[in-house]
Amino acid sequence: MSTRHPTLTAPYAERADHAVHPLTSYLFRLMDLKESNLCLSADVQTARELLFMADKLGPSIVVLKTHYDLIAGWDYNPQTGTGAKLAALARKHGFLIFEDRKFVDIGKTVQMQYTAGTARIIDWAHITNANIHAGKDMVRAMAEAAARWKERIHYEVKTSVSVGTPVSERFDDGEEHGDEHSSGDGDGRKGSIVSITTVTQSFEPVDSPRLSKSTTEGDEVLFAGIEEPPADRGLLLLAQMSSKGCLMDKEYTQACVEAARENRSFVMGYVAQESLNTAPNDNFIHMTPGCKLPPPDEEENGEIEGDGLGQQYNTPAKLIGVCGTDIVIVGRGIINNGDPPSEAERYRKKAWKAYLARLE
Ligand code: 6AU
């Protein structure tokens, strides 16, 4: 780890001023405002539970991480579905949505997976992540797709369709209607009914970065104290993993650092186990999973047991204070607790305390 890089002792509010990526800058400001450097990994089983957790734990977190593909009952409707509902809760409580999709493929494929298909991830997730084993070009491909998306959503397409559907009486009443809907040849035979369809499309500038003005419950409730996030999308590079025996070596991690520096307007930072800011002007944000606290009555500095399936855990104090991460990602440590909102608050306080201690 690079000790004493300036970002390790700079307050988040100050780092917001120097961040290249608008969403990173926004996130640092949000962290400062909410006094939270906690990301909830909402790995629950149903869309209902996901939205419940987002609503109840929203006040304690700055990022909510999803794996949309493990959620049963995910509704793909872009206007009223699960993504749109999550986005409404994000606006209500002030958090960003991070879809932990770990994209890895050739550039063209990831562009399509990111912006289209079933889930249309880019529409509702402010942040996503990528494993760059396929090569750095894939990051550029995603950046280009995100830039095109931003350009497109600046205009919301309003389409109204009016169809002149013939009413049944006109077929059945045996009368001729000498209007534009009927074409009779005047020989007494029944005229055929011509339906007129009018499609009007208008482009309206979207002032707010939200994509869809859905009527989702709570949509109009906005978190106070900060404006809505910018319409930019951001990427985190999966530079190191928390799992035992992870095959990502130093060379791979270094390639992530290079890819991040080459794509500063799209790459916000890393999912990593330690701070990777080493160059003087590096100000990337770091998010770290594999985080757990011992029960409240136990010694905090002891070893934390893994999950038996390869996951390894460290405390917020170690990850933030020693390893230099910015945001801790916590899943089962919170959601498996009997009282998730209180447990989220316990994690938020511990993680924030570790950050304040790092500044000293
Ligand atoms: O707190 P947990 O162990 O219940 O959940 C950790 C979450 C899971 C993992 O898919 C994810 O964090 N994760 C990641 C991410 C965020 O990319 C990388 C990693 O190295 N380890 C890890 O656990 O949703």
Side-chain angles (χ1 to χ4, degrees):
M1 174 193 157
S2 58
T3 47
R4 313 328 282 172
H5 184 273
T7 51
L8 292 174
T9 46
Y12 295 139
E14 194 181 308
R15 288 178 65 188
D17 294 339
H18 301 113
V20 174
H21 197 305
L23 201 53
T24 310
S25 176
Y26 180 88
L27 182 52
F28 278 133
R29 286 170 53 223
L30 189 65
M31 291 159 76
D32 185 59
L33 178 71
K34 291 182 83 172
E35 298 195 346
S36 172
N37 45 358
L38 177 63
C39 165
L40 173 73
S41 182
D43 300 332
V44 290
Q45 292 181 352
T46 64
R48 201 186 169 89
E49 284 174 273
L50 172 67
L51 296 172
F52 180 81
M53 284 286 176
D55 201 22
K56 293 290 171 235
L57 278 62
S60 302
I61 61 175
V62 282
V63 179
L64 182 132
K65 189 177 78 62
T66 52
H67 280 294
Y68 84 89
D69 56 355
L70 57 75
I71 303 287
W74 183 279
D75 178 346
Y76 293 107
N77 187 308
Q79 308 293 328
T80 56
T82 310
K85 284 188 175 132
L86 257 190
L89 290 170
R91 290 195 291 276
K92 175 178 167 189
H93 295 295
F95 60 78
L96 298 183
I97 303 167
F98 163 20
E99 165 55 30
D100 185 2
R101 174 62 180 74
K102 297 185 179 71
F103 288 98
V104 54
D105 213 313
I106 58 165
K108 183 64 195 166
T109 302
V110 293
Q111 281 184 338
M112 293 167 77
Q113 289 171 322
Y114 185 29
T115 62
T118 48
R120 304 180 65 95
I121 291 167
I122 200 167
D123 283 353
W124 49 270
H126 305 93
I127 303 170
T128 191
N129 55 355
N131 172 337
I132 69 158
H133 269 109
K136 287 191 287 182
D137 279 358
M138 171 203 145
V139 177
R140 188 168 49 81
M142 288 184 75
E144 282 173 16
R148 277 199 300 274
W149 175 85
K150 189 182 168 188
E151 183 72 18
R152 183 170 58 79
I153 61 130
H154 186 62
Y155 293 94
E156 191 175 48
V157 183
K158 287 237 158 165
T159 307
S160 64
V161 181
S162 63
V163 183
T165 312
V167 288
S168 57
E169 295 91 278
R170 287 192 172 179
F171 284 111
D172 300 330
D173 63 8
E175 282 179 37
E176 291 288 344
H177 297 275
D179 62 22
E180 74 275 20
H181 292 287
S182 56
S183 68
D185 57 12
D187 63 2
R189 282 185 291 134
K190 189 171 179 174
S192 60
I193 305 296
V194 178
S195 156
I196 297 175
T197 303
T198 317
V199 179
T200 46
Q201 244 185 8
S202 60
F203 292 85
E204 280 188 6
V206 179
D207 296 318
S208 144
R210 75 190 64 177
L211 176 67
S212 62
K213 291 193 170 67
S214 68
T215 51
T216 310
E217 200 183 329
D219 188 38
E220 61 295 334
V221 183
L222 289 181
F223 182 71
I226 191 165
E227 75 283 4
E228 288 191 61
D232 302 78
R233 292 315 195 209
L235 185 71
L236 297 172
L237 301 182
L238 185 67
Q240 296 166 328
M241 288 197 70
S242 58
S243 42
K244 202 169 149 196
C246 169
L247 301 175
M248 290 171 176
D249 57 15
K250 284 201 167 73
E251 204 184 327
Y252 167 80
T253 303
Q254 189 51 34
C256 288
V257 171
E258 283 161 25
R261 289 176 184 156
E262 286 164 17
N263 295 277
R264 284 177 197 270
S265 58
F266 183 51
V267 176
M268 298 172 70
Y270 311 99
V271 170
Q273 291 296 305
E274 60 186 349
S275 173
L276 300 173
N277 285 335
T278 50
N281 64 343
D282 281 349
N283 184 21
F284 294 105
I285 198 162
H286 296 73
M287 301 196 196
T288 301
C291 179
K292 229 177 200 180
L293 277 169
D297 51 348
E298 273 180 31
E299 169 58 42
E300 225 179 279
N301 298 325
E303 285 275 298
I304 308 222
E305 235 180 84
D307 69 353
L309 293 172
Q311 179 67 302
Q312 307 178 107
Y313 290 110
N314 285 296
T315 60
K318 180 166 177 205
L319 294 174
I320 293 165
V322 181
C323 305
T325 196
D326 298 305
I327 292 180
V328 285
I329 299 174
V330 184
R332 286 165 287 181
I334 292 174
I335 57 181
N336 287 354
N337 187 277
D339 182 359
S342 314
E343 193 63 353
E345 266 301 285
R346 187 166 83 97
Y347 274 86
R348 184 192 65 78
K349 286 182 188 149
K350 292 278 185 196
W352 193 253
K353 193 172 150 202
Y355 154 69
L356 293 179
R358 192 175 82 189
L359 296 181
E360 286 165 8

